[in-house]
Amino acid sequence: MDGFKPQKLVKLDGRVGEGGGQLVRIAVSLAALTGTPLRIDHVRGNRGDGKRGGGLKAQHASCVRYLADATAAEVTGCYVGSKSIEFKPTTTLANLVNRNIRIKAESAASILLVFQSMLPFLLFCGDDSGSPITATIQGGTNVRFSLSFEYFDQVLAPALERFGVKIDRKLDSRGWSLGATNVGSATFRFVPLTPGQTLKAPVWPVERGEITEIDITILVPADTIEAFKKALVFRIDQVLPGVGTNYHLVEDSRHRTRIYTLLVAHTSTGLRFGCDWLYDRKATGKTPDDIATEVAEKVVAKLDAEVQKGGLVDEYLQDQLVVFQALAEGSSSIPGNSEALSSEGNQVDRTDEPFGDGSQHTTTARWVTSQLLPHTKWIDKGRICKGAGWKAL
């Protein structure tokens, strides 16, 4: 799609589907990209008044401010806690001046969620000379309810390469939301599409294949590392016997409450399935062996459940790829379970509410992209996406 710019204000309700921060991130990024005026009411309205609360969080406000600056957008409601936001871009993205971006998110807000919000927009900000864009973001790399740097590095970034998007990434320093708040930094560098180019539909395997090996990432206090190694390997051998393991990263987290583990299963067809846990339970009265066993049982069970679903992607990766499928040129199919994988339906999906197979995050992401990229077509409960073929201007 070349130069499509809807003039009608798009209104979204943050109480629809998994209407959390993901809705804000996708919607504002696509509004900036397409020049679409946008209003979101009841921001994160399904979060209630509990600890996760409602309204914009720090990472959402950070990405909205950047996208507003990049498009000279008229914005109202861009502050932490805001329950509604209006975003009206007034310039195109054809001539992005600043290609060395620096963002400091508030506190330990998630670096990866900020970058995810910016990426669909920045991918189409190329120039004729192929100048790279570098984004250095300060905030948290391991944050509750958020993508970790390790998952991005080991699962999401390799998946994006199937779309032709290669991102160099570097962890400058780690930032945690647990323990004493610690602000970290990460740097991302990539070459955006040149004018006239489109994202290519991903070449995705049609079969999952066999699990060939599992990469293990352990970020825990130094004196618990050996307990975690023993517990994870033991549990993997119990649940997935015969599968080899590899310690991809083992690191001292330097705090008793900072406990993070990621398992990445590799398949014979080149797919990756990731499952992780940033430990969020009380550790009082528990030995290192107790906690290691608890973590091992949970992450291995989660990984096994993803494998048993028989799809081609884990549920976290599936929802993060939706926006790229919607923007790409051509058809793509990345089903999350065996039922969708074997389906032969061809009915065009209704897009007036979240739809299709997958988690609520996935169905909501499809709905949001459909509102802002109406030339995208989803077929057979989201199994097939015929992308808009958006072109860099």
Side-chain angles (χ1 to χ4, degrees):
M1 192 66 204
D2 190 1
F4 174 73
K5 183 182 286 189
Q7 298 300 314
K8 183 179 179 181
L9 176 71
V10 171
K11 297 181 180 180
L12 300 176
D13 189 332
R15 298 170 297 185
V16 174
E18 182 58 40
Q22 182 202 44
L23 184 153
V24 176
R25 295 191 302 273
I26 294 177
V28 176
S29 185
L30 291 180
L33 177 64
T34 61
T36 305
L38 172 72
R39 180 179 177 87
I40 304 174
D41 290 313
H42 310 293
V43 173
R44 301 177 65 251
N46 56 10
R47 298 304 189 206
D49 297 320
K51 290 183 179 180
R52 297 184 68 183
L56 286 181
K57 295 186 72 175
Q59 58 256 30
H60 311 138
S62 295
C63 71
V64 171
R65 280 194 291 268
Y66 169 74
L67 292 169
D69 289 344
T71 60
E74 299 172 3
V75 180
T76 59
C78 183
Y79 56 87
V80 175
S82 175
K83 300 297 178 65
S84 65
I85 181 171
E86 284 202 16
F87 183 93
K88 298 179 179 179
T90 63
T91 65
T92 68
L93 48 75
N95 296 302
L96 184 71
V97 175
N98 182 11
R99 295 181 175 273
N100 189 12
I101 302 163
R102 292 186 174 274
I103 294 177
K104 184 175 182 179
E106 297 181 36
S107 187
S110 173
I111 288 171
L112 281 304
L113 293 187
V114 173
F115 182 66
Q116 273 188 298
S117 305
M118 299 162 56
L119 184 58
F121 170 80
L122 291 175
L123 279 177
F124 292 85
C125 291
D127 57 21
D128 290 323
S129 60
S131 303
I133 291 175
T134 300
T136 299
I137 305 172
Q138 291 181 284
T141 58
N142 299 82
V143 179
R144 285 179 176 175
F145 312 114
S146 302
L147 183 72
S148 72
F149 180 87
E150 286 66 40
Y151 186 94
F152 177 86
D153 179 50
Q154 298 179 45
V155 183
L156 178 54
L160 291 177
E161 291 184 12
R162 295 183 181 274
F163 290 81
V165 179
K166 188 176 189 321
I167 301 171
D168 295 325
R169 56 271 184 196
K170 178 177 178 289
L171 178 65
D172 304 315
S173 59
R174 194 171 296 284
W176 296 86
S177 63
L178 298 175
T181 299
N182 185 57
V183 175
S185 174
T187 299
F188 308 90
R189 188 176 186 273
F190 59 94
V191 177
L193 299 171
T194 57
Q197 277 191 316
T198 61
L199 277 180
K200 64 181 182 181
V203 179
W204 212 266
V206 296
E207 296 181 352
R208 187 197 67 199
E210 299 298 321
I211 305 299
T212 58
E213 66 177 346
I214 296 174
D215 284 341
I216 301 173
T217 293
I218 301 172
L219 309 178
V220 298
D223 60 353
T224 68
I225 287 175
E226 291 306 314
F228 270 80
K229 284 184 175 181
K230 180 180 177 181
L232 287 163
V233 171
F234 176 78
R235 191 60 179 166
I236 290 170
D237 190 53
Q238 275 191 321
V239 177
L240 297 164
V243 177
T245 56
N246 171 58
Y247 294 114
H248 183 87
L249 175 65
V250 178
E251 182 178 301
D252 178 7
S253 67
R254 302 179 183 278
H255 197 284
R256 305 304 307 175
T257 64
R258 295 173 182 165
I259 297 171
Y260 174 79
T261 302
L262 166 68
L263 301 181
V264 178
H266 296 252
T267 78
S268 56
T269 58
L271 295 173
R272 300 187 185 199
F273 293 77
C275 288
D276 63 356
W277 189 17
L278 182 64
Y279 192 72
D280 57 356
R281 297 179 182 172
K282 290 184 178 180
T284 305
K286 298 177 182 177
T287 67
D289 286 336
D290 292 336
I291 298 174
T293 298
E294 183 182 5
V295 171
E297 289 179 350
K298 179 168 180 174
V299 292
V300 174
K302 287 171 65 178
L303 182 62
D304 184 51
E306 290 292 347
V307 171
Q308 295 304 322
K309 286 195 303 185
L312 302 179
V313 65
D314 69 64
E315 71 169 275
Y316 305 110
L317 183 59
Q318 186 181 33
D319 77 70
Q320 292 161 40
L321 296 180
V322 166
V323 65
F324 301 101
Q325 287 183 273
L327 286 166
E329 182 175 23
S331 297
S332 60
S333 180
I334 313 178
N337 57 61
S338 58
E339 181 180 353
L341 181 61
S342 61
S343 176
E344 297 180 354
N346 59 7
Q347 184 174 349
V348 176
D349 294 317
R350 292 186 56 178
T351 61
D352 51 343
E353 60 183 22
F355 62 92
D357 80 288
S359 67
Q360 276 199 326
H361 279 96
T362 300
T363 61
T364 303
R366 291 196 192 102
W367 169 65
V368 175
T369 59
S370 298
Q371 305 312 299
L372 286 145
L373 294 169
H375 287 259
T376 297
K377 299 297 180 186
W378 294 92
I379 299 170
D380 191 21
K381 298 180 180 180
R383 179 176 63 88
I384 297 173
C385 177
K386 292 187 177 180
W390 191 269
K391 290 184 179 180
L393 299 177

